[in-house]
Amino acid sequence: MTADVAHELRTPLTTLGSHLEAMIEKVWEPTTERLKSCHEEILRLGKIVMDLESLERVESNNLKLNKAPIDLMELTNSVCVTFEGELSNKNLELEINGTASIVSIDKDRFSGVISNLLSNAVKYTPDGGQIRVLIQDSPDESIFVIEDNGVGIPEEELPFIFERFYRADKSRNRKTGGAGIGLAIVKSVVTAHGGSITANNCTQGGCVIEIRLPKNII
């Protein structure tokens, strides 16, 4: 893991260092655009550090889940509201269907799961595309499904996308700032709840991720 962390931190640090050095030595003028670029790299570093801290907490044996009966549909709707601006910027349609489904989960941590998956869908769905979320209920489990009509994931990459630091399309993730940590956190939180998560490509294009949460685990 140490080598992976070093690799993820090296790129933004190198970019930040070279930009600042060029401005200090007056090779570049400290324009607003260049200062903004430095600020973005600092934010990226901060995001990587926070994700690493979250992953460490989630994967530790001492993880404490503050579970309570939560309506998965209601929680999903509340998280999706926070993405209205990003959806509007890309002219994306978000469709939420299904039914109420009460399950015992840690509200804050599972909000993070939904937010992470929705953020990925927004990033990789083309402008004017569609994202669909479905909540299903059964006596034994609650099911959360999110589907987009983006580029999908190469079939040979699907078994590995939930591994830490794994990125199915490395050039695409560099562009969007991903470090390959988010889906590892998602899987760890789902597993801590006794659930399962799978990812598949849609026949018409895009990706579908399904989470199943058992109701018999308190």
Side-chain angles (χ1 to χ4, degrees):
M1 179 179 174
T2 302
D4 291 323
V5 173
H7 174 75
E8 292 302 329
L9 295 178
R10 186 179 300 114
T11 299
L13 282 172
T14 300
T15 302
L16 184 59
S18 62
H19 285 195
L20 290 174
E21 182 179 10
M23 286 185 280
I24 290 171
E25 295 183 355
K26 301 188 185 303
V27 176
W28 286 355
E29 288 293 324
T31 63
T32 300
E33 183 178 348
R34 286 167 179 157
L35 291 172
K36 182 180 178 182
S37 176
C38 290
H39 184 242
E40 288 173 350
E41 291 300 326
I42 291 171
L43 292 177
R44 183 183 172 198
L45 282 167
K47 178 66 164 56
I48 292 173
V49 171
M50 286 191 294
D51 282 348
L52 286 169
E53 289 175 340
S54 295
L55 186 60
E56 178 62 27
R57 286 196 299 269
V58 169
E59 291 188 341
S60 70
N61 293 328
N62 297 321
L63 174 65
K64 181 180 179 181
L65 295 176
N66 297 313
K67 288 185 176 183
I70 300 293
D71 182 350
L72 192 55
M73 173 63 84
E74 184 177 312
L75 181 63
T76 298
N77 279 314
S78 67
V79 173
C80 288
V81 166
T82 66
F83 281 83
E84 286 182 349
E86 295 172 60
L87 292 165
S88 177
N89 289 340
K90 295 186 67 176
N91 193 29
L92 298 177
E93 177 187 351
L94 174 61
E95 181 181 309
I96 305 173
N97 293 309
T99 184
S101 184
I102 307 298
V103 62
S104 181
I105 54 176
D106 184 312
K107 181 179 179 180
D108 290 339
R109 293 193 183 278
F110 211 82
S111 292
V113 166
I114 298 171
S115 180
N116 197 302
L117 294 177
L118 187 55
S119 177
N120 279 350
V122 170
K123 284 179 184 178
Y124 303 130
T125 300
D127 290 7
Q130 185 180 52
I131 299 169
R132 290 178 291 273
V133 176
L134 174 66
I135 307 298
Q136 295 177 301
D137 184 71
S138 77
D140 299 323
E141 61 185 2
S142 295
I143 303 170
F144 173 93
V145 181
I146 183 166
E147 177 183 339
D148 63 63
N149 63 349
V151 296
I153 301 168
E155 288 293 330
E156 66 273 15
E157 308 283 357
L158 282 171
F160 310 108
I161 66 169
F162 296 109
E163 294 182 5
R164 62 170 71 186
F165 298 109
Y166 193 86
R167 296 180 295 188
D169 184 338
K170 295 176 176 57
S171 62
R172 182 181 69 175
N173 276 271
R174 280 196 297 270
K175 181 179 178 181
T176 56
I181 304 172
L183 288 179
I185 295 173
V186 166
K187 182 178 181 181
S188 294
V189 171
V190 171
T191 301
H193 282 83
S196 64
I197 183 168
T198 57
N200 290 285
N201 285 316
C202 306
T203 54
Q204 71 275 22
C207 177
V208 57
I209 292 180
E210 179 182 275
I211 295 173
R212 291 177 175 267
L213 297 169
K215 291 186 175 182
N216 60 349
I217 297 180
I218 307 301

